[in-house]
Amino acid sequence: MTEEQLSSHHPTLPPTTEEDRFSWLRLMRSRKVGPATFRRLLREHGSAQNALAALPEMARAAGIEGYEICPPGVIEAELKAAKAANAQLLCLGAADFPKSLVDLSDAPPVLWAIGNLSVLQRPMIALVGARNCSSLGSRMARALAAELAEHDYAVVSGLARGIDTSAHLATMATGTVAVMAGGVDVIYPAENAKLAEDLLETGLRLSEQPMGVTPQARHFPRRNRIISGLAQAVVVVEAAAKSGSLITARDALDQGREVLAVPGHPFDARAAGCNLLIRDGATLVRSAQDVIEALPQQSADPGNEPSVPTPCPNVTPNTAQKGKDGQRLHNEILSRLGPSPIAEDQLIRDIAATAGEIGPALVDLELDGRIQRQAGGLLSLAS
């Protein structure tokens, strides 16, 4: 494993005070700071406070004029809304943060949670599928979810119409996790308002978005990686050949999770995506037993869940590369990237530079909007 691969999964030191949590939120809500950039900034600068202080100068060095970090008032309003909604802030690396998300390269630094946090201690299976599912698909989702619950699995889904709704309804009594594309306090679709409220007694609603955010189309693919990341396996019940459920399945494969699918009739377009997954190697599902048998034997035992890694010590802040050498490195990175994403360690090998040299330059280019990170920590030119 390369130095960069090791560093990209280095554990993050979670905030321990209210001031630290405030700074984490403020950094995460600042313009051009996503999950991967957030983690890199913490590694480079040692704390969120240091990263916030460095951001304007880094932006200027990257050619961005007038850059401002997130105003304190925005975070104060978010915290006030969270208190009103009884939402809890979960920070990456803290004891209450979902352990299955910790090692993801694009793990959300913060999550808002409403409900029963104890459900996160159980092994989880994701059930996803079509919004306009068939009656048979809905029955299958309910049966699978109920059977998995009997084996002490918590079912994860996205609170959408169709398969998601069926999966949540079948596990209301035992605990289900709804990962939301918008704010954890914004119910979408509105028809699931009662479901979203009722599941809180034993289950949980989660979101990485700020409080009060109405979900937009771009939020759903980001939401899907959390659904798959939480789970040991993703089961697709019904899905068209081009659907968000297949994005979740791809995320699951990138994250090393099992992918399974319920087969359907070849003439039914709602089953086309599932049939494609099975053709390409996904495990065929007839019942919950097929799902359980596809998992490693020890995975259903909560005692074998990975522990939160020991947080890393603070590191000495580094500044972004400046001057001609820095510009040459920026140009070299841009010349090596294209619209098709490549792994960061491959880029390091191609340029024959060290991870320490590449890291600050990548932050500059991300802040400048000239490159972007995709699922799995891959890099490409910004579209």
Side-chain angles (χ1 to χ4, degrees):
M1 183 176 288
T2 67
E3 178 185 351
E4 179 58 27
Q5 286 174 313
L6 287 169
S7 64
S8 65
H9 292 86
H10 208 292
T12 300
L13 185 67
T16 56
T17 67
E18 289 302 319
E19 181 182 0
D20 289 340
R21 283 186 278 274
F22 192 96
S23 296
W24 266 50
L25 269 179
R26 195 176 179 195
L27 180 60
M28 190 61 214
R29 304 310 186 214
S30 291
R31 187 164 58 99
K32 294 186 179 293
V33 176
T37 303
F38 180 97
R39 295 180 79 168
R40 185 181 296 279
L41 287 169
L42 283 193
R43 288 199 304 273
E44 295 292 332
H45 298 279
S47 70
Q49 291 94 330
N50 290 340
L52 286 166
L55 261 180
E57 176 57 33
M58 294 172 67
R60 281 193 293 273
I64 303 174
E65 298 297 331
Y67 181 90
E68 295 182 358
I69 60 179
C70 179
V74 172
I75 304 306
E76 290 166 0
E78 182 171 356
L79 291 171
K80 183 178 180 180
K83 184 177 182 180
N86 291 319
Q88 302 175 70
L89 184 65
L90 312 182
C91 295
L92 179 64
D96 55 3
F97 191 86
K99 295 176 177 60
S100 56
L101 297 180
V102 168
D103 288 331
L104 300 185
S105 62
D106 55 355
V110 294
L111 288 167
W112 283 113
I114 301 178
N116 188 342
L117 289 179
S118 66
V119 71
L120 294 176
Q121 304 306 313
R122 294 166 54 195
M124 289 181 256
I125 304 292
L127 259 62
V128 297
R131 288 174 170 80
N132 62 333
C133 65
S134 66
S135 175
L136 196 60
S138 178
R139 285 170 52 197
M140 184 64 176
R142 290 198 302 270
L144 280 174
E147 288 179 50
L148 289 168
E150 289 176 1
H151 287 83
D152 200 35
Y153 287 93
V155 169
V156 186
S157 201
L159 201 67
R161 298 183 181 94
I163 297 300
D164 291 18
T165 295
S166 297
H168 289 309
L169 284 171
T171 52
M172 291 280 285
T174 55
T176 184
V177 178
V179 185
M180 304 169 69
V184 75
D185 56 337
V186 178
I187 309 304
Y188 178 87
E191 67 201 53
N192 275 349
K194 186 175 187 305
L195 168 61
E197 184 62 32
D198 290 347
L199 67 80
L200 296 181
E201 184 173 347
T202 56
L204 190 68
R205 300 202 310 255
L206 282 178
S207 177
E208 68 177 329
Q209 296 297 329
M211 302 294 297
V213 167
T214 300
Q216 305 294 321
R218 67 180 185 276
H219 296 149
F220 288 90
R222 301 293 299 164
R223 181 274 310 266
N224 292 347
R225 89 192 192 287
I226 299 177
I227 293 176
S228 58
L230 285 168
Q232 296 176 358
V234 172
V235 182
V236 185
V237 179
E238 270 188 349
K242 295 181 179 179
S243 69
S245 298
L246 296 194
I247 295 175
T248 309
R250 286 196 295 271
D251 287 341
L253 290 173
D254 290 340
Q255 295 162 345
R257 277 42 171 176
E258 298 290 335
V259 175
L260 308 94
V262 175
H265 196 284
F267 287 170
D268 188 348
R270 288 171 294 198
C274 292
N275 292 339
L276 285 171
L277 288 172
I278 294 169
R279 183 200 67 182
D280 293 340
T283 300
L284 185 148
V285 173
R286 300 161 297 174
S287 68
Q289 193 59 38
D290 289 329
V291 180
I292 295 168
E293 289 176 357
L295 299 173
Q297 288 298 310
Q298 72 274 18
S299 62
D301 179 6
N304 286 320
E305 291 182 2
S307 59
V308 177
T310 302
C312 62
N314 284 342
V315 295
T316 302
N318 296 321
T319 57
Q321 294 194 32
K322 297 181 175 68
K324 295 181 179 179
D325 289 343
Q327 188 58 50
R328 278 199 297 269
L329 184 54
H330 288 182
N331 293 338
E332 179 73 6
I333 291 170
L334 293 172
S335 70
R336 297 279 182 171
L337 294 178
S340 298
I342 67 169
E344 189 170 328
D345 61 321
Q346 181 63 53
L347 178 66
I348 291 171
R349 288 196 297 270
D350 290 345
I351 296 178
T354 68
E357 293 169 337
I358 290 285
L362 290 176
V363 173
D364 285 348
L365 293 170
E366 285 180 85
L367 288 169
D368 199 21
R370 303 180 73 182
I371 67 173
Q372 61 187 15
R373 289 185 179 271
Q374 302 188 20
L378 302 178
L379 296 166
S380 67
L381 290 177
S383 55

